Amino acid sequence: MPLDQVVITYVRSSSWINVLLLRSMNLFQPVLVESPSVSELIEVSPNGFCWYEQNVEYRIMVNEVFDIGTKTNGGSVVEMQGSHVSFGLVLRRIRHRVLDELTINVKQGELPLRISPDVPCSLHCSNCANEIIGQRQYDQIREVPMTTMKPHNYFCPRNVYPSEEELYYGLNYLVVCFEVLGNGVTTTRGRRRVLCSRCKQCVGEIIGRDVGVQLYADTLRLVTSDSALEFKEIFGHVTPTQIMKRLMNDADTFDLEQTGLFLKAVRPDGQLQLLHMQMDTKQMHILRSELDVSDIVKPSADLSTEVDTSSESDMDMNLSDSSSSNSSAPETGNDKIATPPRPTTPKGTPPKTVQYVRMRGFRGCRVTYLFSGSDSDLIENHEVSMTWRERTRLLHISYTMMADLLGELNANENMLASLEKTSPPVKTYNPRHSYIIFEPDEEFYARQERFARIS
């Protein structure tokens, strides 16, 4: 199985990196859970490391950012688990300025709101289609200036409150004037929550003393004047990165190194879901590369098969790739630090090809999370939830957002386990560990499309 992906994690202020080499596998064949541990030889030099697989030499170059510490001129023996090869490397020097320049900084994007000031619309309960706000047009539609899930911090009688012509919005919520609500709603005792008068679904809550109403976007559907009886979602899709960029503005600080979020969602069938997330605040860089066969440097067609097309020993791995086809530099073996000059390739054996792997930097964070997705989970994790309620405000997100966040966490927890050499994740009531990687929206959708094609 050839090398498919390379992942490197680096936590600011540390002096080492964790490396994971992912080998491709046939997705249509069952994957063996148990695999005997074997050793692999990785050649390491100050400016990178090498991996050999099926007559292809992969060169992972990190010299722009890191100087790797090496004790000898030989390779490092690492352990292979299944299809993954993981190991750690000590660093002699980190070029933080260059690392920051090579790391993609994803900015907070605009929310894809589907309500337009030019088109009258009405809002209905997503559960029973009961009309919550009758058809009307909003002259001013704007995002809540403070990027937060807590509009209570912005709207108050002394500061600002929405008029009947205004509509404010944030992640999974709308803020409107209390007066625009129709007969399709009722309030709970104490006038805290707003319920659909027909099915009693909670569609929002009152801000202050009738300063405004915060409506949960996932409990509502939109009907515009040009699409009679066509119920639409209020917001378009929001990627996990953009969800987290906004949610982390509301994270509660636990200590100097950790912040927390307590998220709530309701499944379409009414099932309550809770997600506790505890994020490390240490700045984390994740370097990764997905290999493409087009990157492989293939040997020239007019070269004799007797000629070894590989370059000098990759313990040197010069940046200029000054290798020649007749190179006879020493090679590193499993039992020797250096061997005599490499013999020529036997007749009939294809010459070795070389693939350089360039790493791209992303920011991310390490997450400890606990998800309650069923009644039994909620009962088992009740005490944890009560503790979190005492120190963390519960934030309402949509079921789609919850599913996207869980998909990202589930996808990356195996990667964390391999990188940090921890036990593989299993179904448990104990908190689990994963990564959130911040990537541009176009890359997220391109990756989803690629996975869909594979499936």
Side-chain angles (χ1 to χ4, degrees):
M1 294 180 291
L3 189 64
D4 183 65
Q5 292 186 51
V6 179
V7 181
I8 298 175
T9 57
Y10 167 70
V11 178
R12 207 84 167 197
S13 76
S14 63
S15 58
W16 69 88
I17 56 176
N18 292 322
V19 181
L20 174 64
L21 306 180
L22 291 171
R23 301 163 75 187
S24 62
M25 62 184 69
N26 187 343
L27 297 179
F28 299 99
Q29 297 295 329
V31 179
L32 296 177
V33 177
E34 297 295 335
S35 177
S37 297
V38 297
S39 296
E40 295 282 347
L41 184 69
I42 304 293
E43 292 191 14
V44 180
S45 73
N47 56 9
F49 48 93
C50 274
W51 164 261
Y52 299 92
E53 181 92 29
Q54 296 183 352
N55 216 45
V56 177
E57 176 186 313
Y58 299 94
R59 299 183 183 180
I60 296 91
M61 312 300 294
V62 297
N63 56 286
E64 288 184 282
V65 179
F66 304 121
D67 286 343
I68 301 174
T70 55
K71 294 181 179 180
T72 67
N73 293 328
S76 298
V77 177
V78 299
E79 186 176 293
M80 181 175 68
Q81 293 287 348
S83 299
H84 311 324
V85 179
S86 61
F87 54 96
L89 294 173
V90 176
L91 304 176
R92 293 188 304 181
R93 182 184 178 188
I94 304 105
R95 298 172 179 84
H96 289 104
R97 181 183 62 81
V98 178
L99 178 60
D100 290 333
E101 291 175 353
L102 296 177
T103 299
I104 297 174
N105 288 310
V106 180
K107 296 182 179 180
Q108 183 172 293
E110 296 183 359
L111 290 172
L113 181 68
R114 290 184 173 141
I115 299 178
S116 170
D118 304 323
V119 181
C121 66
S122 58
L123 298 178
H124 301 253
C125 173
S126 64
N127 188 40
C128 66
N130 188 27
E131 187 177 85
I132 304 299
I133 299 179
Q135 189 171 99
R136 62 183 302 109
Q137 193 168 335
Y138 301 93
D139 297 332
Q140 294 185 16
I141 299 178
R142 63 186 70 173
E143 189 169 1
V144 176
M146 295 176 64
T147 305
T148 175
M149 283 283 289
K150 304 174 185 176
H152 302 70
N153 297 342
Y154 180 75
F155 296 97
C156 66
R158 294 182 181 180
N159 185 14
V160 62
Y161 52 88
S163 68
E164 293 186 26
E165 292 75 31
E166 292 179 316
L167 182 145
Y168 292 84
Y169 65 93
L171 183 65
N172 194 47
Y173 69 83
L174 306 173
V175 177
V176 296
C177 175
F178 186 82
E179 302 300 326
V180 305
L181 295 179
N183 296 325
V185 297
T186 183
T187 58
T188 58
R189 187 176 181 179
R191 292 175 59 81
R192 295 292 300 168
R193 296 192 300 160
V194 179
L195 309 178
C196 170
S197 60
R198 181 183 296 170
C199 68
K200 305 306 179 184
Q201 175 184 218
C202 179
V203 297
E205 56 185 285
I206 297 175
I207 301 174
R209 298 181 178 178
D210 295 351
V211 171
V213 180
Q214 178 188 7
L215 298 174
Y216 305 133
D218 63 312
T219 66
L220 303 173
R221 291 297 180 268
L222 170 72
V223 176
T224 56
S225 58
D226 59 351
S227 61
L229 299 181
E230 182 181 348
F231 293 90
K232 301 178 181 178
E233 300 279 351
I234 293 176
F235 290 101
H237 184 261
V238 184
T239 64
T241 293
Q242 290 297 327
I243 295 172
M244 286 301 298
K245 295 288 284 187
R246 291 172 179 274
L247 287 176
M248 289 182 73
N249 290 293
D250 292 313
D252 292 289
T253 302
F254 292 162
D255 51 47
L256 294 177
E257 296 185 350
Q258 291 184 330
T259 59
L261 286 168
F262 191 12
L263 307 178
K264 166 189 173 182
V266 180
R267 210 165 58 191
D269 61 1
Q271 174 65 58
L272 174 66
Q273 296 183 333
L274 298 178
L275 176 62
H276 313 83
M277 299 177 67
Q278 195 163 301
M279 292 84 64
D280 292 347
T281 56
K282 290 183 179 179
Q283 192 174 15
M284 183 176 186
H285 294 266
I286 299 174
L287 287 75
R288 67 182 184 186
S289 176
E290 295 183 5
L291 277 63
D292 190 335
V293 292
S294 61
D295 296 332
I296 296 181
V297 180
K298 295 185 181 298
S300 176
D302 59 354
L303 287 177
S304 167
T305 55
E306 295 287 334
V307 179
D308 183 1
T309 59
S310 62
S311 65
E312 69 271 15
S313 171
D314 294 306
M315 292 308 300
D316 301 324
M317 283 196 288
N318 295 324
L319 296 178
S320 60
D321 190 21
S322 57
S323 62
S324 66
S325 60
N326 293 315
S327 170
S328 59
E331 181 183 271
T332 301
N334 282 324
D335 13 77
K336 297 182 181 179
I337 299 247
T339 61
R342 208 179 265 160
T344 58
T345 306
K347 188 173 182 179
T349 303
K352 184 181 69 176
T353 55
V354 175
Q355 181 167 4
Y356 282 94
V357 180
R358 298 293 191 271
M359 308 300 295
R360 300 180 63 220
F362 298 85
R363 298 191 188 278
C365 60
R366 190 180 190 277
V367 180
T368 300
Y369 72 100
L370 180 64
F371 175 64
S372 302
S374 64
D375 288 342
S376 60
D377 292 343
L378 293 169
I379 294 172
E380 182 68 28
N381 299 327
H382 177 71
E383 292 187 9
V384 177
S385 297
M386 288 292 94
T387 302
W388 277 66
R389 286 295 294 267
E390 294 174 0
R391 60 177 182 174
T392 311
R393 186 169 185 268
L394 189 61
L395 304 177
H396 186 119
I397 64 174
S398 71
Y399 169 70
T400 301
M401 293 177 182
M402 181 73 83
D404 282 345
L405 286 177
L406 284 173
E408 196 73 6
L409 292 170
N410 292 339
N412 292 334
E413 63 181 352
N414 287 286
M415 181 172 66
L416 180 146
S418 296
L419 281 162
E420 300 186 5
K421 291 183 169 50
T422 59
S423 301
V426 294
K427 173 63 177 177
T428 175
Y429 288 116
N430 296 322
R432 298 160 74 166
H433 308 285
S434 187
Y435 294 135
I436 291 287
I437 303 175
F438 300 129
E439 60 181 351
D441 285 5
E442 57 271 16
E443 295 196 18
F444 171 82
Y445 290 119
R447 183 158 52 88
Q448 295 300 308
E449 183 179 351
R450 188 164 57 250
F451 287 163
R453 287 198 306 267
I454 294 175
S455 301

